[in-house]
Amino acid sequence: MIHKMDKISELLAGTYDDPDGLGPQSVTTRRLVMEKSLAGMTLDLVKSLGFEHRIAVVSDETTYKVLGKRIVDELKGAFAVDIIVLPAAPHPDDVTVTAVQGATSGADALIAVGSGTINDLCKFASANDGKPYAVFATAPSMNGYTSVNAAITVHNHKKSLAAQAPAGAFFDLTILAAAPARLIRSGLGDSLCRSTSQADWLLAHRLLDQPYRQLPYALLEDDEKQLFDNASELMAGDLQVMEKLVRTLVLSGFGTAIVGNSQPASQGEHLISHFIDMLADHNRPLIYHGEQIGVTTLSMARLQRHMLDGTPRLAADTVSLDDFISRYGEELGKSCWSDFSEKLLDSAAVDQLNHKLEQNWDGMREDISAISHTVEYLEQVLLAAGAPTKPGEIGLQRPFYNLALQHCREIRNRYTFLDFAANVHRLEALVPAI
């Protein structure tokens, strides 16, 4: 379904013209195929990657039934296949990574059959062991298929860790359209945050002179509106709209891979979500990542609108390591402080930044507004898909959600509108409204 001059094929060929003027851009993924059906194509697809003889096919109990058995059956005979089936709903944490590395120690390459967790576990484990991997998707649930980062929890601190992109990524659109509706909504929710992530990153660029690229967003501009405007058709099983969702997820992952980190697609909305994952009641019903991101994206969009309407004047951060230890305990507190302290603003920095704001705020506000979707539009996209829009719909009481909004900026070194609002002494007051 991919046309010869398509952006995906140009990236694979190394001929995509960088809008930032950095010359032709490429990705390390060598093969990407999305078709109505990939049945009977597994052997040819894997052979095209040049993997050596012994392959570990990693799935969980659910994804093995959906696609893993078919992958194994089509590879047997041509390859020596190690079958690793994890328990249903495995955790993407350091313990499970160690288990995957042990189970795949004899293999030359890994094939992930699944979506977010299985893909992250395989990309991180394979990178640790210096082995290539490929992925066969079972749900269009997140944008990490083609990224070079993995969301792994280490000692209860959820982190985005360096991993590797897949050598091949393969998408059977019929299988993806048959995925549970919540997983499809999850992929839509994970795509929704483009505008809030871009606004946060652009703020950090304009205010703090952090590096910034147009490329990740140029990659998405042909598909995003067609996806968002047809959310109800997506949920009705329209394969053309499903292809738009998969393209959006794939291109978002490629954007982060080229930049080298998750900044283009993971900012304040993901900090809120990570805080929830780390500290919410573990007995809460299962909520998929993108379902949560849809809700937190609406909160970030509201916060950004409030902050863009004001005339900011910054004040220095006053929190300390002792505050973090008191809030999170010693181990997690020190881990979070290690990240947060790198972006902490002292009095000298604040004086310089306030001068910059006095000179440039109107232009900054105009540029950020120009790339942002309205809260109303983003909410309508979610509603059209039947996706959650409120904290209560993802199993969270409002007091805990407010706590996440107020403190999630403390878990990572990434300056967002959450930090901006805190440094203007407006975050605590705005939390109930976002």
Side-chain angles (χ1 to χ4, degrees), residues 235-250:
M235 301 311 302
D238 188 312
L239 291 189
Q240 289 186 321
V241 186
M242 176 58 69
E243 185 184 8
K244 293 296 180 185
L245 173 58
V246 175
R247 288 176 53 80
T248 299
L249 297 172
V250 163

Side-chain angles (χ1 to χ4, degrees), residues 366-378:
E366 182 177 339
D367 290 346
I368 294 170
S369 296
I371 53 88
S372 298
H373 287 310
T374 66
V375 178
E376 292 76 16
Y377 177 70
L378 295 172

Side-chain angles (χ1 to χ4, degrees), residues 414-432:
R414 194 156 287 184
Y415 195 91
T416 73
F417 269 89
L418 292 156
D419 298 283
F420 192 53
N423 289 129
V424 179
H425 288 177
R426 291 190 66 193
L427 181 59
E428 186 174 359
L430 286 174
V431 157

Side-chain angles (χ1 to χ4, degrees), residues 41-259:
M41 297 173 61
T42 302
L43 185 57
D44 288 340
L45 292 173
V46 174
K47 279 186 173 181
S48 73
L49 302 176
F51 287 174
E52 295 184 29
H53 184 61
R54 189 163 183 176
I55 294 177
V57 177
V58 183
S59 59
D60 64 23
E61 293 173 357
T62 301
T63 63
Y64 183 77
K65 294 175 184 176
V66 170
L67 183 58
K69 186 178 185 304
R70 188 178 95 187
I71 300 297
V72 169
D73 289 344
E74 292 187 22
L75 291 178
K76 277 183 176 178
F79 291 93
V81 180
D82 295 336
I83 305 170
I84 293 91
V85 181
L86 301 176
H91 295 291
D93 56 25
D94 46 354
V95 174
T96 312
V97 168
T98 300
V100 170
Q101 288 184 242
T104 60
S105 60
D108 301 307
L110 280 65
I111 292 179
V113 184
S115 55
T117 296
I118 294 294
N119 185 59
D120 276 350
L121 289 169
C122 287
K123 73 162 56 176
F124 191 64
S126 63
N128 286 348
D129 289 339
K131 300 174 180 179
Y133 97 103
V135 58
F136 283 81
T138 57
S141 55
M142 50 84 219
N143 64 2
Y145 282 115
T146 53
S147 74
V148 294
N149 299 92
I152 303 294
T153 299
V154 180
H155 301 305
N156 296 318
H157 188 182
K158 188 163 186 177
K159 298 187 175 186
S160 179
L161 301 177
Q164 66 175 337
F170 306 116
F171 303 88
D172 183 316
L173 296 177
T174 301
I175 283 181
L176 300 186
R182 287 182 61 193
L183 289 175
I184 299 173
R185 294 185 186 111
S186 180
L188 181 65
D190 210 19
S191 301
L192 200 75
C193 70
R194 189 280 307 160
S195 93
T196 56
S197 294
Q198 187 176 3
D200 278 342
W201 200 22
L202 186 54
L203 172 72
H205 171 63
R206 295 292 300 272
L207 182 64
L208 303 176
D209 298 320
Q210 293 185 5
Y212 174 82
R213 297 281 295 275
Q214 294 282 351
L215 177 143
Y217 310 114
L219 290 174
L220 297 172
E221 63 188 11
D222 295 339
D223 297 292
E224 181 180 273
K225 182 172 173 52
Q226 294 179 63
L227 170 63
F228 289 176
D229 287 351
N230 293 283
S232 59
E233 288 82 356
L234 173 71
M235 301 311 302
D238 188 312
L239 291 189
Q240 289 186 321
V241 186
M242 176 58 69
E243 185 184 8
K244 293 296 180 185
L245 173 58
V246 175
R247 288 176 53 80
T248 299
L249 297 172
V250 163
L251 286 164
S252 177
F254 278 152
T256 65
I258 293 169
V259 170

Side-chain angles (χ1 to χ4, degrees), residues 337-366:
W337 179 257
S338 176
D339 274 11
F340 178 82
S341 60
E342 294 184 17
K343 66 176 177 179
L344 187 147
L345 298 183
D346 60 20
S347 298
V350 160
D351 288 342
Q352 294 180 350
L353 294 175
N354 279 328
H355 178 71
K356 180 182 287 190
L357 286 170
E358 289 170 5
Q359 301 296 315
N360 302 315
W361 175 240
D362 287 342
M364 292 166 60
R365 174 168 49 193
E366 182 177 339

Side-chain angles (χ1 to χ4, degrees), residues 374-393:
T374 66
V375 178
E376 292 76 16
Y377 177 70
L378 295 172
E379 187 172 37
Q380 187 53 49
V381 173
L382 292 176
L383 290 172
T389 61
K390 298 177 174 61
E393 295 170 355

